[in-house]
């Protein structure tokens, strides 16, 4: 399995709380991604980054924000959690060396907002 | 926008038998990449196999092989000698080679159960 880590693995939190989902990788990858996986298991890209100080929104609109201050770290923040944010969040990373580079996934964070 | 369709929400197979998972996609591009990812229950998503569209030869990885039909925009996954550990969600994914974004577009997945 790839060296990409996510914490916490499970989080149950009340509405209105601010949360940060952590993602880190030790592979020296330039590119990092956040996907949201709904209960039907479908995956949608919500954020990505090409490198330090680079962040872009993905295909699925999300109220979350991300930052990339260090190469190995790509946290996702929800300022005010709502029940509609309940989902599994997967982080991934890849090298920036050419086309079609394989993305390696973390174990995911399963978020439940009550 | 590209789309990926997996028409089989669930499949099952007996241990040691062969199973084929289907995937079709829609794109106007001539060069792109296709992937099959496996997500076991409560475990990490891992790459099964990768295909470059400009290569006509079908990719293989041990018991896993693909049937890539570019004209038909079809990318099926064949699992030979199925094992209990193959039980997982399987996702077909498309990646454009244009623009450098390298964003994956996933199908909705096929839940495969290997029965003893």
């Amino acid at each position: 399995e790839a060296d990409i880590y996510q914490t916490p693995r499970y989080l149950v939190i009340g509405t209105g709380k601010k949360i940060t989902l952590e993602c880190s990788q030790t592979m020296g990858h330039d590119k990092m991604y956040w996907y949201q996986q709904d209960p039907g298991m479908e995956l949608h890209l919500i954020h990505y980054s090409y490198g330090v100080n680079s962040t872009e929104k993905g295909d699925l609109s999300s109220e979350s924000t991300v930052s990339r201050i260090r190469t190995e770290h790509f946290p996702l923040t929800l300022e005010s959690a709502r029940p509609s944010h309940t989902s599994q969040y997967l982080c991934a990373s890849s090298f920036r060396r050419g086309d079609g580079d394989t993305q390696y996934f973390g174990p995911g964070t399963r978020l439940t907002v009550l | 926008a590209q789309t990926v369709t997996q028409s089989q929400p669930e499949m099952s197979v007996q241990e040691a038998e062969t199973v084929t998972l289907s995937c079709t996609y829609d794109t106007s591009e001539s060069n792109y990449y296709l992937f099959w990812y496996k997500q076991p229950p409560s475990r990490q998503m891992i790459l099964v196999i990768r295909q470059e569209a400009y290569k006509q030869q079908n990719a293989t990885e041990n018991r896993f092989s693909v049937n890539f039909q570019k004209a038909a925009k079809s990318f099926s996954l064949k699992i030979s000698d199925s094992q209990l550990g193959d039980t997982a969600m399987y996702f077909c994914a498309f990646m454009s080679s244009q623009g450098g974004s390298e964003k994956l577009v996933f199908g909705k997945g096929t839940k495969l159960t290997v029965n003893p």
Side-chain angles (χ1 to χ4, degrees):
Chain A
E1 295 183 347
D3 296 326
I4 180 165
Y5 309 98
Q6 291 185 243
T7 57
R9 293 291 311 278
Y10 303 91
L11 180 62
V12 180
I13 202 163
T15 297
K17 299 291 185 183
K18 178 180 179 179
I19 58 169
T20 296
L21 308 185
E22 302 286 352
C23 175
S24 60
Q25 49 92 9
T26 58
M27 297 174 284
H29 286 171
D30 303 294
K31 295 186 175 182
M32 296 189 74
Y33 311 81
W34 276 103
Y35 292 88
Q36 184 171 339
Q37 187 169 31
D38 60 30
M41 302 298 280
E42 197 165 355
L43 287 133
H44 300 282
L45 180 70
I46 52 174
H47 297 284
Y48 60 100
S49 167
Y50 291 144
V52 172
N53 294 325
S54 153
T55 61
E56 302 286 344
K57 289 191 178 295
D59 300 323
L60 181 69
S61 176
S62 174
E63 294 170 345
S64 58
T65 59
V66 293
S67 62
R68 189 89 183 274
I69 298 173
R70 302 197 320 260
T71 298
E72 63 273 18
H73 195 213
F74 191 41
L76 180 145
T77 298
L78 277 165
E79 290 292 333
S80 179
R82 295 191 284 146
S84 61
H85 296 139
T86 294
S87 192
Q88 170 145 269
Y89 293 85
L90 298 180
C91 180
S93 70
S94 67
F95 278 114
R96 189 180 187 180
R97 60 186 171 193
D99 284 338
D101 292 317
T102 298
Q103 293 183 18
Y104 295 90
F105 284 81
T109 294
R110 187 168 296 281
L111 172 66
T112 302
V113 184
L114 303 176
Chain B
Q2 292 88 2
T3 58
V4 177
T5 302
Q6 293 179 247
S7 59
Q8 305 148 316
E10 292 192 38
M11 294 190 72
S12 63
V13 64
Q14 292 299 121
E15 197 175 4
E17 292 188 347
T18 296
V19 63
T20 298
L21 310 183
S22 66
C23 172
T24 58
Y25 57 94
D26 187 24
T27 183
S28 58
E29 298 175 18
S30 59
N31 194 26
Y32 45 86
Y33 302 86
L34 296 163
F35 303 81
W36 277 99
Y37 277 90
K38 167 185 176 181
Q39 188 177 32
S42 300
R43 291 186 60 191
Q44 218 149 329
M45 179 112 67
I46 58 173
L47 177 71
V48 175
I49 203 161
R50 173 181 177 272
Q51 175 81 41
E52 298 166 12
Y54 62 86
K55 288 187 177 179
Q56 294 192 357
Q57 187 173 5
N58 290 325
T60 63
E61 284 289 341
N62 300 315
R63 297 182 296 107
F64 299 88
S65 62
V66 297
N67 183 5
F68 173 48
Q69 301 289 330
K70 191 172 184 179
K73 296 180 183 176
S74 171
F75 183 61
S76 61
L77 175 71
K78 186 172 84 170
I79 306 174
S80 304
D81 186 25
S82 297
Q83 300 176 0
L84 296 178
D86 295 333
T87 292
M89 282 291 293
Y90 286 81
F91 292 95
C92 178
F94 173 98
M95 180 187 289
S96 170
S97 67
Q98 293 181 359
S101 66
E102 299 190 9
K103 295 184 286 184
L104 282 170
V105 176
F106 285 91
K108 293 187 177 184
T110 295
K111 183 179 181 181
L112 176 68
T113 302
V114 180
N115 299 308

